[in-house]
């Protein structure tokens, strides 16, 4: 009950549409998915694998969120909307993590053993992002919407693009309970393209001036 109360309060802090803990408990599929998962994970760790998978599939049918019973999930885990989320068997998720709809924490093939990502504490993964492989996403990091992350993300950093590139958030500690932002994320490739475009415009202007000078 303590963990459930923490989770409901975390939803209230992160979702401006949430009006009461009762509303969250009754109507939020992310809450239902994590309750189902706690049961499935207990069954899984007690070698009741068929019942664990049966319960997780029931949860998938009811919520649209698929969490493998073997996944390890920390406290105050928040799933916003949640439809289409997939969390693989060997995924590990820390505390105070926020996931949006369409997120996949998956593997890259038919590898054995650890094959899904480890998500640190206080991480935000925005809608449609795919994190694929047995690497770590560091504490206080964020994954931009629709990013495809194929390698490790250091702490206090942002991953943007396809495939994702890392942007350091220099010296900035982010509290996602207070600041939930999926879209105002700097894309380093876009900045490079802007620099190249500015350089190209400058060279074209120079060529035009030289051409006019020769005509005169």
């Amino acid at each position: 009950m303590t963990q459930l109360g923490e989770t409901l309060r975390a939803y209230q802090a992160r979702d401006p549409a949430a009006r009461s803990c009762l509303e969250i408990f009754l109507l939020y599929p992310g809450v239902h998915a994590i309750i189902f998962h706690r049961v499935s994970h207990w069954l899984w760790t007690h070698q009741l694998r068929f019942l664990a998978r049966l319960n997780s599939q029931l949860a998938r049918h009811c919520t649209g969120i698929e969490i493998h019973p073997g996944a390890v999930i920390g406290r105050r885990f928040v799933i916003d909307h949640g439809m289409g989320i997939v969390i693989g068997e060997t995924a590990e998720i820390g505390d105070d993590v926020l996931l949006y709809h369409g997120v996949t924490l998956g593997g890259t093939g038919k590898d054995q053993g650890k094959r899904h990502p480890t998500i640190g504490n206080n991480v935000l993964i925005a809608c449609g992002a795919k994190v694929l492989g047995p690497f770590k996403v560091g504490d206080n990091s964020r994954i931009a919407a629709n990013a495809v992350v194929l390698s490790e993300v250091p702490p206090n950093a942002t991953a943007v693009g396809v495939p994702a590139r890392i942007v350091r958030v220099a010296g900035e500690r982010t509290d996602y309970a207070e600041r939930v932002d999926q879209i105002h994320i700097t894309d380093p490739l876009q900045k490079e393209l802007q620099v190249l475009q500015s350089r190209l415009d400058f060279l074209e202007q120079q060529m035009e001036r030289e051409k006019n000078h020769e005509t005169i």
Side-chain angles (χ1 to χ4, degrees):
M1 290 300 293
T2 301
Q3 285 200 30
L4 178 59
E6 285 182 347
T7 299
L8 296 178
R9 288 190 292 274
Y11 271 84
Q12 273 193 309
R14 289 162 168 78
D15 186 355
R19 284 179 286 274
S20 71
C21 286
L22 179 62
E23 178 186 52
I24 295 166
F25 177 71
L26 294 176
L27 302 179
Y28 277 50
V31 174
H32 304 158
I34 195 62
I35 292 172
F36 270 108
H37 176 71
R38 300 299 185 197
V39 175
S40 297
H41 187 68
W42 186 91
L43 293 169
W44 186 265
T45 56
H46 287 77
Q47 306 306 313
L48 300 170
R49 300 292 173 88
F50 178 81
L51 290 177
R53 291 303 303 270
L54 179 63
N55 193 62
S56 69
Q57 289 302 301
L58 178 62
R60 179 178 182 271
H61 176 74
C62 294
T63 66
I65 299 166
E66 182 170 347
I67 307 176
H68 192 284
V72 178
I73 297 178
R75 302 170 79 97
R76 297 175 296 279
F77 179 51
V78 173
I79 298 173
D80 197 306
H81 296 289
M83 183 63 68
I85 282 178
V86 177
I87 299 174
E89 177 184 2
T90 61
E92 300 174 52
I93 299 174
D95 297 333
D96 302 299
V97 171
L98 171 57
L99 264 60
Y100 285 86
H101 57 280
V103 167
T104 298
L105 304 181
T108 56
K110 296 183 178 180
D111 297 335
Q112 299 297 312
K114 174 67 171 169
R115 58 192 185 278
H116 300 97
T118 296
I119 309 299
N121 299 323
N122 197 39
V123 172
L124 182 151
I125 305 181
C127 56
K130 316 300 178 192
V131 185
L132 308 175
F135 52 82
K136 183 168 183 180
V137 176
D139 295 349
N140 311 309
S141 294
R142 52 182 175 163
I143 311 299
N146 293 315
V148 178
V149 183
L150 302 174
S151 59
E152 185 166 340
V153 178
N156 304 300
T158 300
V160 180
V162 182
R165 300 168 301 282
I166 303 303
V167 181
R168 287 279 184 183
V169 185
E172 182 178 352
R173 168 82 177 190
T174 306
D175 183 351
Y176 292 121
E178 301 298 331
R179 177 184 168 189
V180 177
D181 188 349
Q182 299 186 73
I183 60 173
H184 295 104
I185 298 173
T186 302
D187 187 335
L189 181 59
Q190 183 180 15
K191 292 183 72 173
E192 291 174 12
L193 290 174
Q194 289 172 345
V195 170
L196 290 173
Q197 184 62 53
S198 298
R199 181 64 176 167
L200 180 60
D201 291 342
F202 174 75
L203 292 174
E204 287 179 346
Q205 290 171 7
Q206 268 199 328
M207 290 176 64
E208 189 65 29
R209 283 195 296 269
E210 290 177 2
K211 181 179 178 181
N212 293 338
H213 180 72
E214 289 175 359
T215 302
I216 295 172

